[in-house]
Amino acid sequence: MAQSQHKATIYDIARQAGVNPSTVSRALSQPGRVAAKTEFRIRRIAEQLGYLTQTEQSDGEALPSTGMIAAIVPTLTNPLYAGIINTLQRELDARGYGLITLDTDQKPSMERKAMSYVMRNVDGVVLISSRLSEPDIRRIMMVRPIILINRTAPGLNSVVVDVARAIDDAVHALKESGHSSITYLAGPASSWSNEYRRRYIRSAAFRYDMTYRVVRECEPSVAGGSAAMEQYLIRPTDAVFAFNDALAAGFIIAARRNGLRIPEDVSVIGFDNTQMASLLTPTLSTIDLKSDQVAERAADALVQTIRNPAGIRPEPITLAAEFVKRDSLNTHKRSTMKLGPYAEIRRSSDTIVLTMLSNAFNETMPRINEFMRTHPHIVIDPIEGRTQENTLSLYWERVINHRSVPDLINLERTALPQLAASGALQDLSSKAIEQELAPKVDRAAWQSAHYAGKLYGIPGDQSQTVMFYRADLFDHYHIKVPDTWDAFYETGVALHARNPNRYMGVLDTTDVQHYLSFFRSACVRPWTVENDSTIIFHMRSDLVRSVATFIQQCIDDGALNAEPMWDNRYMRAKSGTYLTVTYANWLGKILSMSYPADRGLWKVTLPPAFADPSQVTTAEIGGSTLAVSAGLPPKRLEAAMTFLKWFQLDPVSVELRAPGGVSAAAGYVEDLTRRGTIDPYFDQPIYDVYAKSAERVNRDWDNLPFYSQLDAEFARLIVPALRPGGRSQDLFDEWERRLKIYAVSQGFAVK
């Protein structure tokens, strides 16, 4: 087992990875020289052992300042990239830095070489529309400050332009003017921004019931636009989005050669808003990506990081794109498209395209791409909802209005009963499936994928509660880490009296899940769901009231502070405000990104117990499940199940998961525990704590089949009272009354 005081070597990594030290050396110093799966595993182990946090200088000293910054760009023939480089050079010069620019000819292999050339000769690196894998990018970060442009990665500085609203504006304008179908001329497959744009065009087409098609891997140039015309003409649509303005210009030229009029026959919209867009005839409608502002913000953020590397938390800077409407959009289109709303050009006659709705795909696309590579006859078409709330709302709105829904949906397990009870999800129950899959999935997660005894999906991750705590602050105040909630309360009251700016813990009011986790951990049920039609409420019982009263007492006396805890990226509170956070295990990743300077200060243990510390019970917060929409024909259902099993449980997919998540695959946590894996942020073998928590999850718990209404009433009624003197426990009668009224209105019997 690796020890925290031991400086990790490539031999330690090789031993855990089961490879030769030379393989480790190639994987870390020459990305792309070994198999992707092996390289990914080696880099993950290196990060866990703390190897990649050590500077690659043999003497451990910081690399000297050079006064130069490198910009690595896919191609300078793209006017957008050239404009960004010009502005970067001007902005950096004003701050006392020179700029080295390397053109990689849109090849990831060239980008890796460029990275090696400049690593030790510059003070920082700007990666523009990088094609590198996330592990490669993180390797650069360990040596030099970096900033990403047109791409994001958790915990890294970045500047991106949010195109979602602008794309929605453009598609809405198309819909309002009579268009009913869209083709997207996609850019390079390795381009992050291409996939980002494609997903939002796809989502907007879904939202407005417009036919969507895609011509894949177009060269992002005028020549590429001409070449794309041949594919477009196989099944033409009313409108075309092109990956950039140059591609759009080439398409317009080729359209005219083929006898098509712009915009009478087809409307065209580009991306970038380069000078070319306003010079074309007709002038080109486009999405303005604010290139000058991007470069200015990137230069400022990178220089600040270089000059103050330990004092600035990595922040994703997001600017808003703008839809610029010009003459290439027909304002009175008479559509001739009569095909179904989600048709796509298929690669071959036996290819099955499955649409998949999820709140985000940034971390899952490497797994989806690997699946499609190894299963060439099944294409996964992502539809991005942006947030879990919006994803569920989008899906639910289509269900209740009897509109077409995606084939697959990735949703939090708390929302699964609502969709299952409505009949929207496919019942996957069978003796064969249970026998095949149940042993392969964490028990608590597997149970959560069921409703009324039937299986409605395959879980993706585990989300058991643990307690994260600041060991240094416990030492500073000479207090013990509480192992019961009574001790938590007593210690917290004394702490807050001593320092009113500190609390023992936080109650997250972002949604109802954290609040309910207290009841589940106390083995107290506010309701019981019997079969799929009867709900028995216990919210007026003495046991339920006692837990609610305890939570309110902790708030009244300063042991707990109730507030929205995080913003889907970072913790909101200043470091040190809370000595503990009792939450799902996945919060560890959020803590490490939120408080990078606190590395080694945070530790993990089991949550406090409501009674005997040796019999602590844990809960779940969050946790995702991939489900299938009801009504798929047998062949498509078979393809969907092939994807579900591979995506959630196949060892290759599990290995490709983004660091920080905890797979629901059985044995995942236990395997990391057996390896003695030391997490570099917590400087602790955290997975043995996660394994213990998984064994202690209270499985005697039901999620209500109308979670969104439960959460809405919590926000309206309970959250305002979660303040000192709020007497939130007195509102449970009213909370139960409202939920009963809603349940009856939805056809449930209540008791």
Side-chain angles (χ1 to χ4, degrees):
M1 179 184 299
Q3 301 297 322
S4 58
Q5 65 268 26
H6 170 65
K7 184 176 181 180
T9 68
I10 63 172
Y11 299 99
D12 298 320
I13 300 167
R15 204 160 30 245
Q16 285 207 25
V19 299
N20 293 324
S22 59
T23 303
V24 175
S25 178
R26 287 197 302 275
L28 297 180
S29 62
Q30 298 173 293
R33 290 288 302 279
V34 301
K37 179 183 175 183
T38 302
E39 180 180 328
F40 190 91
R41 185 171 73 255
I42 288 170
R43 289 188 177 281
R44 173 173 287 180
I45 292 170
E47 290 177 358
Q48 291 167 344
L49 293 178
Y51 181 84
L52 289 182
T53 62
Q54 303 162 11
T55 178
E56 295 186 6
Q57 289 285 94
S58 59
D59 58 7
E61 295 179 357
L63 296 172
S65 174
T66 66
M68 299 299 293
I69 287 174
I72 300 179
V73 61
T75 173
L76 287 171
T77 61
N78 184 320
L80 176 73
Y81 298 150
I84 289 174
I85 290 294
N86 286 337
T87 305
L88 268 176
Q89 185 165 341
R90 183 173 62 251
E91 294 294 323
L92 290 171
D93 182 66
R95 293 165 172 79
Y97 289 87
L99 182 68
I100 301 170
T101 302
L102 294 95
D103 183 327
T104 66
D105 196 27
Q106 304 184 77
K107 298 175 181 176
S109 58
M110 288 291 291
E111 192 170 352
R112 292 191 189 97
K113 289 182 181 179
M115 174 185 74
S116 300
Y117 293 155
V118 302
M119 188 83 73
R120 298 175 183 275
N121 301 312
V122 296
D123 295 335
V125 179
V126 183
L127 290 176
I128 302 173
S129 297
S130 176
R131 272 50 162 178
L132 293 177
S133 67
E134 187 173 320
D136 283 342
I137 293 173
R138 292 190 182 280
R139 175 175 173 261
I140 306 173
M141 180 189 71
M142 298 303 173
V143 181
R144 287 300 192 190
I146 69 168
I147 192 161
L148 304 175
I149 289 179
N150 293 344
R151 180 171 177 177
T152 63
L156 300 183
N157 281 317
S158 62
V159 182
V160 296
V161 180
D162 187 348
V163 298
R165 177 60 64 85
I167 287 174
D168 191 85
D169 289 343
V171 176
H172 183 259
L174 291 171
K175 181 70 173 181
E176 290 292 298
S177 56
H179 300 72
S180 66
S181 54
I182 297 169
T183 293
Y184 175 50
L185 308 182
S190 58
S191 167
W192 182 90
S193 57
N194 170 66
E195 177 58 25
Y196 184 62
R197 294 170 196 176
R198 191 203 69 77
R199 292 204 303 265
Y200 284 123
I201 294 170
R202 180 70 182 91
S203 297
F206 176 79
R207 187 175 300 112
Y208 293 110
D209 286 316
M210 299 179 72
T211 301
Y212 162 84
R213 300 192 181 108
V214 60
V215 176
R216 300 181 185 276
E217 298 186 41
C218 302
E219 180 186 335
S221 64
V222 172
S226 296
M229 173 57 64
E230 182 179 347
Q231 286 294 311
Y232 166 80
L233 288 174
I234 294 174
R235 297 179 74 181
T237 54
D238 296 336
V240 163
F241 276 86
F243 171 70
N244 62 11
D245 290 346
L247 185 60
F251 179 84
I252 290 173
I253 293 169
R256 287 180 178 144
R257 285 202 303 264
N258 283 274
L260 295 176
R261 300 166 300 164
I262 309 294
E264 290 82 359
D265 296 319
V266 56
S267 294
V268 181
I269 299 172
F271 280 86
D272 295 349
N273 197 25
T274 56
Q275 187 177 20
M276 174 191 303
S278 59
L279 298 177
L280 288 170
T281 303
T283 54
L284 179 65
S285 298
T286 187
I287 307 293
D288 187 350
L289 298 182
K290 312 291 184 182
S291 60
D292 285 347
Q293 294 179 38
V294 167
E296 291 168 6
R297 297 292 296 274
D300 185 58
L302 182 59
V303 169
Q304 286 190 48
T305 303
I306 291 169
R307 293 175 176 172
N308 187 19
I312 298 177
R313 184 168 76 179
E315 288 283 359
I317 299 169
T318 303
L319 306 176
E322 179 183 358
F323 172 51
V324 180
K325 185 177 177 181
R326 295 195 179 105
D327 295 340
S328 65
L329 191 151
N330 188 341
T331 56
H332 300 286
K333 176 68 176 173
R334 184 175 179 180
S335 176
T336 58
M337 297 301 302
K338 302 297 181 185
L339 299 175
Y342 310 116
E344 180 178 355
I345 297 174
R346 294 187 173 185
R347 302 178 182 183
S348 64
S349 59
D350 59 349
T351 296
I352 296 175
V353 179
L354 297 172
T355 52
M356 175 178 169
L357 177 63
S358 183
N359 62 314
F361 286 91
N362 290 342
E363 293 186 350
T364 58
M365 281 311 300
R367 295 157 64 197
I368 292 174
N369 289 334
E370 179 64 15
F371 173 82
M372 292 191 293
R373 186 185 71 80
T374 56
H375 299 75
H377 298 304
I378 303 175
V379 175
I380 306 301
D381 185 11
I383 302 172
E384 189 148 343
R386 309 205 75 192
T387 67
Q388 181 63 33
E389 180 182 8
N390 188 61
T391 298
L392 183 60
S393 175
L394 182 62
Y395 190 89
W396 185 243
E397 183 271 333
R398 302 184 80 86
V399 168
I400 62 178
N401 289 300
H402 306 288
R403 300 166 67 194
S404 299
V405 296
D407 301 313
L408 309 169
I409 178 170
N410 195 35
L411 72 164
E412 283 196 2
R413 291 196 280 275
T414 51
L416 184 140
Q418 177 175 341
L419 296 181
S422 73
L425 301 182
Q426 178 72 42
D427 176 5
L428 305 177
S429 303
S430 73
K431 186 176 181 180
I433 289 289
E434 292 282 350
Q435 289 179 341
E436 176 192 0
L437 299 184
K440 298 180 180 180
V441 183
D442 167 73
R443 288 186 300 164
W446 182 248
Q447 179 183 341
S448 297
H450 289 72
Y451 172 69
K454 297 178 180 179
L455 177 68
Y456 286 97
I458 299 180
D461 50 19
Q462 301 180 40
S463 56
Q464 297 89 9
T465 50
V466 295
M467 185 167 75
F468 303 96
Y469 67 96
R470 280 285 298 270
D472 61 318
L473 294 180
F474 275 92
D475 291 341
H476 174 76
Y477 288 107
H478 305 290
I479 53 179
K480 294 182 179 179
V481 178
D483 58 2
T484 67
W485 283 108
D486 286 341
F488 178 96
Y489 167 77
E490 293 169 3
T491 306
V493 171
L495 169 72
H496 191 63
R498 183 174 174 183
N499 186 339
N501 293 321
R502 296 197 194 277
Y503 297 87
M504 182 59 71
V506 57
L507 172 62
D508 182 22
T509 59
T510 303
D511 58 36
V512 72
Q513 291 191 69
H514 193 205
Y515 188 71
L516 290 180
S517 72
F518 284 84
F519 296 85
R520 187 169 181 177
S521 297
C523 299
V524 172
R525 305 177 73 174
W527 48 74
T528 306
V529 180
E530 290 188 349
N531 54 62
D532 60 354
S533 60
T534 303
I535 303 170
I536 305 171
F537 286 95
H538 317 292
M539 298 177 72
R540 303 183 184 190
S541 74
D542 291 341
L543 284 174
V544 171
R545 189 64 60 90
S546 68
V547 175
T549 300
F550 173 76
I551 295 172
Q552 184 63 54
Q553 186 179 4
C554 286
I555 295 171
D556 290 344
D557 298 338
L560 275 176
N561 183 45
E563 66 172 357
M565 193 179 69
W566 65 304
D567 60 5
N568 287 321
R569 295 179 305 171
Y570 298 119
M571 300 290 289
R572 293 174 181 267
K574 179 182 177 183
S575 173
T577 302
Y578 300 113
L579 268 65
T580 75
V581 182
T582 300
Y583 215 81
N585 52 39
W586 50 261
L587 190 76
K589 181 177 182 179
I590 307 301
L591 290 173
S592 66
M593 292 189 296
S594 302
Y595 308 128
D598 293 347
R599 180 174 177 237
L601 304 181
W602 285 94
K603 302 296 179 184
V604 188
T605 189
L606 288 175
F610 274 91
D612 183 354
S614 67
Q615 301 296 320
V616 63
T617 303
T618 60
E620 289 185 309
I621 301 175
S624 65
T625 294
L626 191 55
V628 182
S629 294
L632 263 64
K635 188 174 181 180
R636 294 178 63 77
L637 179 58
E638 181 183 358
M641 288 303 297
T642 298
F643 174 68
L644 261 65
K645 293 176 186 178
W646 187 95
F647 187 75
Q648 304 291 47
L649 301 174
D650 190 279
V652 173
S653 180
V654 171
E655 191 73 37
L656 289 172
R657 289 179 64 90
V662 183
S663 170
Y668 175 80
V669 170
E670 289 80 359
D671 182 49
L672 293 174
T673 301
R674 282 193 298 270
R675 296 182 196 173
T677 306
I678 304 292
D679 182 88
Y681 182 77
F682 294 97
D683 195 20
Q684 174 191 358
I686 60 175
Y687 294 99
D688 63 345
V689 181
Y690 293 172
K692 292 174 184 176
S693 178
E695 294 171 357
R696 292 165 169 79
V697 172
N698 173 20
R699 294 195 290 276
D700 187 20
W701 181 263
D702 297 321
N703 288 316
L704 280 181
F706 40 84
Y707 172 79
S708 56
Q709 186 67 22
L710 168 68
D711 189 46
E713 294 296 354
F714 172 74
R716 282 192 288 260
L717 185 65
I718 305 299
V719 170
L722 293 175
R723 53 177 174 77
R727 299 198 60 81
S728 56
Q729 70 273 21
D730 293 343
L731 299 172
F732 268 54
D733 289 0
E734 176 62 15
W735 196 9
E736 180 182 285
R737 187 187 71 83
R738 295 185 185 187
L739 292 176
K740 282 184 173 180
I741 291 172
Y742 184 81
V744 171
S745 74
Q746 298 301 304
F748 294 97
V750 301
K751 297 180 181 178

